[in-house]
Amino acid sequence: MQAQKIQLQKIQLRLWWIAIVWVCLLLSSCTLLQTAVTGQESPHLLLGKPSNATVFNAKDYLLIRPQYVLSYNRDKGIANWASWQLNQNWLGDLPRLPFEPDLALPQGWYQVQPNDYTNSSFDRGHLVPAADRDKTIADSKAVFLMTNVLPQSPDNNRGPWERLESYCRELVRSGKELYITTGGAGKAGSIAQGKVMVPAQIWKIVVVLERPGLPIGSITEKTPVIAVLMPNEQGIKTNSWQSYRTSVDEIEQLTGYDFLSTLDPGLQAVLEAKVN
Ligand code: MN
Ligand code: MN
């Protein structure tokens, strides 16, 4: 009788262990899945995800890459926004690559082709600039995918926009680490028989940290935040990027996104109201 009881207890104990191991496995696979689905752990989203992008939403489709995170809009044929970290480790000197359609989009979606922009009078404008990701072939390939491209007026792309991109890399070469988010707003028509929408404006938000690797807690009311909003049109080539400075609040209102959302609301309010 006693021996039987002990035997039963042993079996019970074993069953408990099996149950515990199963629950642990289940929980860890859920976390992994959540990371893959939400991008939570990506270094590029340290300051938060501007929209509720997921891999289940065709208008706000989350594309997580080692080089950047972006939200793609299938119906517009362009990204809603792209976010990336920039520090010296990302910078190299590889030559530019040809643009390629993004084969990572879900099956059945139209893949914008490089020649959809041909004769459109718009540049293939990088969201994440080529020169921000030119250290490895894999990095370069990632930024030359058509999901990282929007129709950008040549004067914008090669004028104030390019000068702001260069200024960002100057900051990085002087030792800073940047968290950048960029995208288009409004509608100024379309190209490629309506398959690719042309945004009316292009915006960018840059948070400047003193050096690479600083935690989010190092951000204070004094942390520089650059926000710009530029018209996607001709005739602005010689304008300075500084003349397009605005507040993050302004871009939040325009786009409906929430930037810097991982910061404490009080700090967020201060940083977002400023025009740097
Ligand atoms: Mn460009
Ligand atoms: Mn915000």
Side-chain angles (χ1 to χ4, degrees), residues 248-249 252 257-261 268 272:
V248 174
D249 277 340
E252 286 194 342
Y257 298 143
D258 183 8
F259 304 103
L260 318 184
S261 62
Q268 215 178 126
E272 292 180 350

Side-chain angles (χ1 to χ4, degrees), residues 53-63 70-72 104-106 109:
T54 67
V55 294
F56 309 111
N57 189 344
K59 289 178 162 60
D60 197 2
Y61 180 78
L62 191 66
L63 251 173
L70 66 74
S71 157
Y72 185 73
L105 290 175
W109 288 23

Side-chain angles (χ1 to χ4, degrees), residues 126 152 157 165:
H126 283 91
Q152 192 171 6
N157 184 31
E165 290 174 337

Side-chain angles (χ1 to χ4, degrees), residues 30-231:
C30 282
T31 318
L32 282 174
L33 191 70
Q34 201 190 3
T35 303
V37 169
T38 63
Q40 238 173 21
E41 302 295 314
S42 168
H44 309 302
L45 295 181
L46 183 77
L47 297 179
K49 201 165 64 171
S51 65
N52 290 322
T54 67
V55 294
F56 309 111
N57 189 344
K59 289 178 162 60
D60 197 2
Y61 180 78
L62 191 66
L63 251 173
I64 306 165
R65 296 203 151 97
Q67 296 82 9
Y68 55 79
V69 176
L70 66 74
S71 157
Y72 185 73
N73 191 316
R74 179 196 60 188
D75 301 344
K76 294 181 177 174
I78 54 173
N80 299 302
W81 53 261
S83 288
W84 67 106
Q85 174 205 64
L86 188 58
N87 58 42
Q88 272 169 325
N89 287 331
W90 292 104
L91 300 184
D93 54 9
L94 287 180
R96 290 167 66 97
L97 294 174
F99 287 95
E100 302 277 359
D102 193 339
L103 307 181
L105 290 175
Q107 227 179 359
W109 288 23
Y110 179 69
Q111 293 167 351
V112 175
Q113 303 295 309
N115 65 17
D116 280 331
Y117 283 56
T118 308
N119 298 325
S120 71
S121 82
F122 286 96
D123 279 358
R124 297 174 190 93
H126 283 91
L127 294 167
V128 185
D132 282 11
R133 293 290 186 267
D134 57 358
K135 193 171 182 177
T136 69
I137 297 282
D139 289 355
S140 255
K141 280 192 164 179
V143 287
F144 277 94
L145 294 171
M146 290 304 290
T147 44
N148 181 47
V149 167
L150 50 71
Q152 192 171 6
S153 75
D155 282 359
N156 178 316
N157 184 31
R158 307 169 199 182
W161 192 259
E162 195 282 324
R163 286 192 290 276
L164 174 56
E165 290 174 337
S166 290
Y167 175 68
C168 287
R169 285 188 294 273
E170 263 172 52
L171 288 174
V172 161
R173 287 196 188 93
S174 77
K176 312 280 193 222
E177 179 168 72
L178 312 181
Y179 286 89
I180 310 174
T181 300
T182 193
K187 185 175 176 179
S190 62
I191 61 171
Q193 295 88 46
K195 292 196 287 285
V196 179
M197 202 200 80
V198 179
Q201 290 163 302
I202 304 181
W203 50 267
K204 178 172 275 183
I205 295 168
V206 184
V207 177
V208 185
L209 302 192
E210 250 337 281
R211 57 176 190 278
L214 286 176
I216 200 165
S218 69
I219 296 174
T220 70
E221 296 182 0
K222 293 199 177 98
T223 300
V225 178
I226 301 166
V228 298
L229 180 62
M230 296 187 193

